[in-house]
Every structure is written in C-alpha cells, then in structure tokens.
Amino acid sequence: MDKIRDMLKRTASKLSLGRAESSETLGGSAADRGKHAEAEAAAAAAASLPAVLRGEPHPPDAPFGFIALGPTGALVDTATGAEFRWVSFNIPGLLMLEDRPPVVWGFPLCRAPVAHPQLDCNGVGYGHENGRSCIAWTPALAAAHPEVPCATDWVEPDPWEQADAVRTVAAMGGRVARTYTLGIGPRYHLAAPGVFNERPFVAMDHALAAARRFGVRLVVPLLNHFRWFGDLNDLARMRGRDALTFYGDQRLRQDLKDLITHMLNRINTVTGTRYGDDPTILAWQLGNELGGWHETPPPADWSIEIAQHIKSLAPRTLVMDGTLGGHHASKRYPRASLESPYIDIFSNHYYSGEADAGMLARDARHVRRFRKAFVAGEVGLMPTPALDKLLRRAAADANVSGAMVWSLRFHSALGGLYTHHEKDAFWSLHAPGLPTAFFGGRPDVDGFDADEQAVVRIVRRRALEMWGDQIRVAVDRVPFPVPPKPEPVLDVSPRKLNWRGSAWAASYTVWRREDPPPPPQQQQQSQQPQQHTPPSSSAVDHASSAADPGAGWTLVAQQVLPCVKWGGPMVCDDAAAAGRAYWYRIVANGVDGRCSDALVIGPISAEQ
C-alpha cells in the first residue's frame, strides 16, 4: 500500500507540474492570470455601471424626468418612481466665473497694466501674466471695441469648461450640483429693470445643456444676500431704493418677478427647451443665504409670492426656500413658508465642524414634520474628519434628501485649473485631488488644499451610496472613470507646454519627437480661435492611441501632477534645443492607471 501511495503521489505531482507548465505556456504565470482576472472583473464592473459613472454622457433614451416632492417630504424621480437623494458639490463658477479675467480673441485680458505691450499686425497689444500671453486692456481698446469687458468683471465660462465641470461631478456619482446666483449689473443677466443681457443667458444655456448631457440636475439660486455678486443690494440700487426695505418694496418684487418671467420663458439656444419645462433644473432657489447668519430672514409673504410666481411658469419644477437657517433654523423658517404648497425644499449651510452633525439632524427632522424636503445646501471648510462625519450622517439620515460640499473648481479652457481661496488654509477643491505627499506636511500650497484628495474621495463614496440598487457592485469596487483625451490650447512652446486638462486625470505623461509622427487616421484642428495668434502658438491636435508610442518618441516627463493654476504651463522641456521644431504627445492617466487617448501637438519651436 505504501508503494502504491508513493506512486500515486509521484503521478499527481507530475500531473500538477504538467498542468502548471501547460497553463504558463498558454496563459502565463499564476500572478499574470490573477492580474488578468482582476482586469476582467474591473471591466465587467465598469460595464455594469450607469454611463455617467464611467465619464460618459447620459444615454439620450435613458429616463430623465422631473424630481417631485412626495407625500412624506421625500423627493421622487418621476421617471422611475424611486426616491431621489444625493451627495455632491457646489460649482459656483458654472454660470458666471470670477476666477479669471475675460477672454478676448482666445487670450485673457491682462489684469495688471502693461507698460510696453508687444503689438501684432492688427495693433493689439500683448503682455504676459500667469505664464502665458494676455491682451493688454487699455482705454483705447475699450473705445474701439466696446464689447470688450473690464478685466475685473465676472465672465461667462467657456462651454468646454462647463462640460468639464459637470462631467467631473457626474463621474463621481454626483446627481445634483448647485450653482451661484444670477448676476445683476450692466454686463450680467439683469442689466437694468426689464433689460436683460443675452451673453450671460447663452452661457446659462450651455450650462443646462452640459448638465443634461451628463445627467446632472442643477439647483440655481436667484439672489444673493451678501454684497458679493448678484445681491439684493444691486437690485435695489437700480431703482435708487434702500436694500433694507427690499422685501417690502412692491416695485422691487415686480422687478424680480419680471426677471423670473423672462428666464422661465426663455428657449435654450442649445437644446431648444423652454427653461420652465426643463427637468435639468431640480429647483429654483429663492436666494443664497437670505437673511444672513444673524439678520432678519425674508418674510413669509415675500417667499410665498415669489415661489407662487415661479410655480405659475414652471409648475413641475421644485422651489427651494432661500432662508439661511443658521444655528436656529426652526426659529428662522416661517411656519407659513413651511406650510405653503408653493415651497418644496428648505436648506441650511454647515461650516462649524463637529457640532454640525447634530444640528443637521435637528434641522432635517423639523422640516420633515411639515412634509417638506431638506437639503444641506453648503457643507465644508472644516477639518476633514468632521466633514466625513457630517456626510456620513447626511447619507444615513432618511430625512436628508441631499448634501453639497463647498466648493468645486474645474479645468480652464486656457490650461490648468481654476483655484479660489476660501479662508485660512482652505482652498476650492479639484477632482481627483493632489496626493497628500505633494504638500510635504504643509496644509496647503498656493491654490491647492492638502486634503482635497481625501475630501473628494469621501464625497465620491457617499455620492455612490446614494445611488442604491442602481449600482450593482459594491461601492468599493466601482472603478474610477477613464479620463477623456486632453485638448490643445494656443500659445504653447517646448518651454511652456500646456493643454486642456482631462476630467479625473491624476497625472499626465509627455513624450517628444523631432520628425513628424505617422499620419493619423483622423486629424482635428484646435477648437480655439486662431485670430491674433503670436507666431510661436501653432498647435495641431492629431488623433493618437494611448498605447506605447513606439519608436521615435522620447519620454520627457511622467507623473506630471495637475497642480498648475489656470493658464500656467504644465511642463517645461529644458532639453529642447532652441530653434528646432518638435512634436509632443500627451496622455492623461486615470486614478487606477487606465489612460486616455493621446493628444499630439506640433510642430512647435523652442524659443531662441
């Protein structure tokens, strides 16, 4: 028996070895097979996700209906009948942008005076700011071209930027985003009583179109309380009135209602949809932080009158009250507003830290007693553990329909990222966020918050949890989106390489070559305007695969982090010889290593 057992063991060993040799011959080592299986599992998980979570547009034939107030105060998706909840971001620059000067003929205006501008053949003067060319603003330029705005005005974002912003939110699972208010003033939405500017409304058209394309709904506040942008003081000044009497002034009420009428009857120039019939608008909010933290909140009769006017023109769209609840929300929300059939949602803002978690639960519970929905409209600027705790509470509390973190900035059409300082070491956030190691123990680096990656991942996790059974894999197994292909910009050279960044790109890889690349299957010229372009600014976008570039390409830089403010160069190729022409190949790398298609620009020459 012992001999038989030994013989069977030797036979089994040979068979096992044979199987191992055979599998290595056919499919590689066990480690390789494991990696292959993981890749297949990740691909299968990605394929099962809603398209927007893969960074793709919302399918045109997929349900996208209005969100309605249910009988208990929960929000309901009318297209599916499911409860609708979310965790996401505020995007204050989506309608109007304060973080860069206006762009004229493809270049930003110089914010500082230019003593000796470089003139082109058309007599336009150029200077340099933030690492790139800018157009020198002069009184003579303003006189010759009155359409050119002041360099300090808020500006309309580029449609590409708006698409980048909502694509970023959608791909993290954010189903809703909150904008900043409408603008009031000569160059903004309401220029004067009964006078409206088309340009800001066209920008709003593009914002709504981009949001609809990526399946993101918007909350749009009408007026601001504080003196910053689009505030009630601006509206009162148009009539020579005192802002202290704003809510009781019937003339000012009518001016606001006239603005609402114009807006809700507007036909979107991009989608052809009337604003009052567009399910992309989750809610029109009566205002941002109305009443401030300690001042008298708006009276119920004002809120109800404005809400009723909105409902008369957009009966299927929700209305969110604009009162800032502050630290005593139950005392600041008028009972008449809570009982009004014209107001559907109430909200509060949370910036205090640990104490906010308990306050959020009390506020939501109070509002739901009146069968109204409750939303944490702004959350943030607090230590990351406190924010994590607050969002956990929000996601777990059935009385909370949504929560939106303050605030997200996006890529600039001029390259780099928009940045905004909030307070202390807190800056606006970017996805997917810079790694903590980049900051070397510092709380921030000019333009970037050291905790942004941690905060973005917290928001993403809670956002994905809100999808419920629409995501058929564990939240931990939802892959990060593959970044889209970078796009070209004007005014680049080997010493200041730049491009339009890719949503959810964790880093970039850059190659160089001296001879023209092989002819691509397709060729697409830059979408940027070509007038008034300095001689060194040629850029051609060649379609290219993200695979190994093959022979002829030299690696210039890898793991290039997106840590550059708008317009600033991403890479300086010091090895490029002056006067020679080069082609560059740029690939965006995703969080999990998957990469975009490649952008190829060139030929561009190094400066002498």
Side-chain angles (χ1 to χ4, degrees), residues 215-227:
V216 174
R217 292 172 172 84
L218 300 181
V219 174
V220 181
L222 302 178
L223 284 174
N224 198 7
H225 173 81
F226 295 103
R227 291 178 182 268

Side-chain angles (χ1 to χ4, degrees), residues 37-380:
E38 288 179 6
E40 285 187 337
S48 71
L49 294 173
V52 294
L53 296 181
R54 301 193 299 269
E56 301 170 6
H58 186 75
D61 57 347
F64 192 83
F66 283 91
I67 305 302
L69 180 68
T72 65
L75 297 180
V76 178
D77 187 339
T78 59
T80 64
E83 184 175 0
F84 188 84
R85 300 178 70 222
W86 72 92
V87 169
S88 188
F89 274 103
N90 284 267
I91 313 178
L94 190 62
L95 302 185
M96 296 293 290
L97 186 62
E98 64 174 312
D99 300 311
R100 66 156 167 79
V103 172
V104 181
W105 307 308
F107 292 88
L109 290 179
C110 304
R111 279 190 162 160
V114 180
H116 303 288
Q118 178 184 357
L119 299 180
D120 70 3
C121 59
N122 296 287
V124 175
Y126 291 88
H128 285 84
E129 281 183 353
N130 204 31
R132 65 168 297 118
S133 297
C134 58
I135 289 180
W137 189 93
T138 63
L141 175 67
H145 300 279
E147 77 281 4
V148 175
C150 174
T152 57
D153 283 352
W154 287 45
V155 299
E156 298 84 11
D158 186 274
W160 180 91
E161 296 172 341
Q162 294 168 310
D164 176 80
V166 293
R167 182 178 198 154
T168 299
V169 165
M172 74 170 67
R175 308 166 85 180
V176 177
R178 181 171 175 266
T179 74
Y180 210 55
T181 66
L182 303 181
I184 299 173
R187 294 190 180 277
Y188 304 134
H189 298 86
L190 179 62
V195 180
F196 311 100
N197 274 323
E198 181 68 3
R199 284 176 61 94
F201 276 109
V202 171
M204 195 170 180
D205 294 346
H206 283 283
L208 290 171
R212 174 65 184 87
R213 183 182 177 213
F214 287 99
V216 174
R217 292 172 172 84
L218 300 181
V219 174
V220 181
L222 302 178
L223 284 174
N224 198 7
H225 173 81
F226 295 103
R227 291 178 182 268
W228 188 254
F229 179 80
D231 59 84
L232 52 87
N233 299 277
D234 294 331
L235 189 55
R237 278 195 298 271
M238 286 183 173
R239 291 285 185 185
R241 308 293 175 90
D242 191 332
L244 294 175
T245 64
F246 176 82
Y247 293 112
D249 191 312
Q250 293 300 316
R251 179 66 265 175
L252 296 180
R253 287 193 188 194
Q254 189 59 48
D255 287 341
L256 178 58
K257 290 162 71 173
D258 290 345
L259 170 60
I260 292 168
T261 299
H262 175 83
M263 180 173 63
L264 295 185
N265 284 331
R266 177 179 177 82
I267 305 300
N268 190 309
T269 59
V270 180
T271 66
T273 303
R274 177 179 170 272
Y275 274 34
D277 300 323
D278 193 346
T280 309
I281 300 292
L282 181 133
W284 297 104
Q285 187 175 15
L286 301 181
N288 175 58
E289 298 183 334
L290 298 183
W293 290 95
H294 305 293
E295 300 167 47
T296 304
D301 74 293
W302 180 89
S303 298
I304 292 170
E305 181 178 335
I306 301 303
Q308 185 176 11
H309 184 67
I310 293 172
K311 288 287 190 180
S312 71
L313 296 166
R316 292 179 292 173
T317 305
L318 299 170
V319 173
M320 183 184 292
D321 188 75
T323 304
L324 179 60
H327 299 294
H328 305 284
S330 62
K331 298 178 181 179
R332 289 175 62 82
Y333 301 143
R335 187 180 185 92
S337 296
L338 287 162
E339 293 177 341
S340 170
Y342 303 110
I343 303 175
D344 307 293
I345 308 172
F346 289 78
S347 70
N348 204 358
H349 295 177
Y350 301 93
Y351 289 109
S352 299
E354 287 286 344
D356 281 340
M359 189 165 68
L360 169 69
R362 291 191 298 272
D363 294 347
R365 189 164 55 247
H366 174 72
V367 168
R368 286 296 286 269
R369 290 193 186 109
F370 294 87
R371 294 182 173 83
K372 297 298 172 75
F374 183 80
V375 168
E378 293 180 18
V379 177

Side-chain angles (χ1 to χ4, degrees), residues 487-502:
E487 294 189 21
V489 299
L490 297 177
D491 193 27
V492 295
S493 73
R495 298 284 192 269
K496 51 178 184 179
L497 284 173
N498 203 0
W499 54 87
R500 288 180 173 183
S502 303

Side-chain angles (χ1 to χ4, degrees), residues 27 58 74 92 106 160 234 236 312 421 428 459 476 480 548 550:
H58 186 75
W160 180 91
D234 294 331
S312 71
H421 183 245
S428 58
V459 174
D476 289 338
F480 285 90
D548 180 11

